[in-house]
Amino acid sequence: MKRRLQDAVRERALLGDGAMGTQLMLAGLEQGNCGEAWNLAHPDRVLAIQRRYVQAGSDCLITNTFGGSRIMLDRHSHADDVVEINAAGVRIAREAFGHRDGYVLGDIGPFGGLMEPYGDFTEAQVRDAFREQAQALVDAGADAIILETQTSLEELRLGVIAAREAGAACVIGSMAYDVTLDGSTFRTMMGIDPERAAAFMHEHGADIVALNCGTGMDMERARQAVIRYQQATHLPVMAQPNAGQPKLIAMKVVYDETPEEMVKGVVPLLEIGANIIGGCCGSTPDHIRAFRQAMDLFHMAKRVS
Ligand SMILES: [Zn+2]
């Protein structure tokens, strides 16, 4: 039987993947359209993106199912396709690995609204949506479930419980932090700091604590977040920050960190014991290839010394 991800990463740090959303845009997805529906309509294009990450050296692929919950898909009139879209997402990622061993992380993003009393959604609606999506991902063979770009502990809790109940072999909670205006620290949009998030995830049964995306969260901020996580829990830590800051150039959003710039943050993350390293928005196969080289050199040097 395959080793659980949370066990494998304790021995050796693994490489995650890069962005899906910005790559889908490059492949022709229009802003505001449903990228997850491409798992059924254009599986070849999703596969091509994930194959490039595997060729660049990714050990883990996150499925193209970020907005694959019933609540999110309903906004694009795809609510009837929840199971098919999520199952296809797992299938495509597995196919991208080919004969290589790799971990398929079933992706669950935020449901995209607020729960009562602040918003229109009941807790039961959100719980049911996460349950349905988590079950579809696990049934299709995902090695882990990642609840990503989370900002609220209430929503995260529902996601973690849903993934556990679905029988996921590994549950990853991943928070999106924003650097505060004065630049002194970072917390989620809902005001959660990393220590609190890590302790909460640990308490609710997550296997890996993570961070991704966020505003102003570069590799150095990710390193700080990993250290703060490690002070709150002994669980493995995963970091997938953006490739710098988004900029609008010729009506296109581009991220300003090149692979050469971003890769400088990889060894500092490895030195403090980060267990999975990858990229979020704006990161490309070229970023991931640079990460792979840096990680391999680091591991080689460790073996020699
Ligand atoms: Zn992102």
Side-chain angles (χ1 to χ4, degrees):
M1 224 182 95
K2 185 170 184 163
R3 292 184 71 197
R4 297 183 310 170
L5 180 61
Q6 61 269 45
D7 300 327
V9 296
R10 285 189 187 280
E11 215 155 273
R12 191 181 209 260
L14 294 183
L15 177 58
D17 60 5
M20 174 56 77
T22 41
Q23 291 291 305
L24 288 173
M25 301 282 184
L26 284 176
L29 179 71
E30 282 175 42
Q31 189 92 44
N33 283 9
C34 183
E36 291 75 16
W38 273 26
N39 291 348
L40 302 179
H42 301 293
D44 49 320
R45 297 187 199 170
V46 179
L47 178 65
I49 293 169
Q50 294 192 310
R51 274 225 171 106
R52 285 199 289 275
Y53 284 127
V54 170
Q55 284 160 0
S58 291
D59 301 305
C60 309
L61 286 174
I62 296 178
T63 58
N64 179 38
T65 56
F66 178 86
S69 67
R70 174 171 294 269
I71 296 172
M72 289 289 275
L73 289 176
D74 190 40
R75 299 187 176 113
H76 299 283
S77 310
H78 283 297
D80 292 340
D81 306 322
V82 173
V83 173
E84 274 194 294
I85 283 176
N86 284 282
V90 173
R91 208 162 48 231
I92 294 166
R94 189 70 72 197
E95 194 181 337
F97 277 121
H99 296 298
R100 242 198 82 184
D101 244 346
Y103 289 91
V104 173
L105 317 188
D107 193 13
I108 300 182
F111 75 92
L114 291 172
M115 277 186 280
E116 291 175 342
Y118 308 104
D120 302 333
F121 292 89
T122 65
E123 188 177 302
Q125 277 176 307
V126 177
R127 184 173 48 227
D128 290 349
F130 283 162
R131 269 185 185 160
E132 181 183 33
Q133 188 181 9
Q135 198 64 60
L137 291 165
V138 169
D139 288 350
D143 299 304
I145 294 286
I146 179 167
L147 292 311
E148 64 141 310
T149 325
Q150 294 293 324
T151 59
S152 131
L153 294 182
E154 290 72 33
E155 185 174 343
L156 176 70
R157 183 178 65 86
L158 297 178
V160 169
I161 293 172
R164 278 268 91 91
E165 286 177 352
C170 174
V171 181
I172 307 169
S174 189
M175 310 298 285
Y177 298 103
D178 303 325
V179 174
T180 53
L181 279 180
D182 67 359
S184 62
T185 186
F186 44 83
R187 52 179 79 98
T188 74
M189 198 169 66
M190 307 300 271
I192 311 302
D193 62 34
E195 290 84 357
R196 176 130 183 265
F200 184 90
M201 288 190 264
H202 190 152
E203 188 188 327
H204 286 85
D207 301 300
I208 296 177
V209 293
L211 66 128
N212 72 284
C213 218
T215 309
M217 293 296 293
D218 55 11
M219 293 291 271
E220 168 54 22
R221 296 282 187 172
R223 194 184 70 89
Q224 293 167 13
V226 168
I227 291 171
R228 292 172 68 176
Y229 274 174
Q230 289 168 333
Q231 285 163 355
T233 175
H234 62 264
L235 292 175
V237 179
M238 171 175 183
Q240 305 224 124
N242 292 342
Q245 312 305 320
K247 293 206 168 110
L248 201 61
I249 294 174
M251 295 308 285
K252 281 211 166 104
V253 179
V254 288
Y255 283 76
D256 66 359
E257 260 189 5
T258 62
E260 295 73 28
E261 289 164 342
M262 200 178 177
V263 74
K264 289 180 190 148
V266 169
V267 167
L269 274 169
L270 291 169
E271 278 171 342
I272 58 166
N275 304 88
I276 303 174
I277 301 173
C280 198
C281 300
S283 59
T284 67
D286 289 337
H287 290 80
I288 294 305
R289 191 171 300 107
F291 283 25
R292 178 82 271 164
Q293 285 172 355
M295 289 176 80
D296 289 348
L297 282 174
F298 179 86
H299 286 131
M300 243 192 304
K302 231 173 70 176
R303 225 174 305 138
V304 172
S305 64

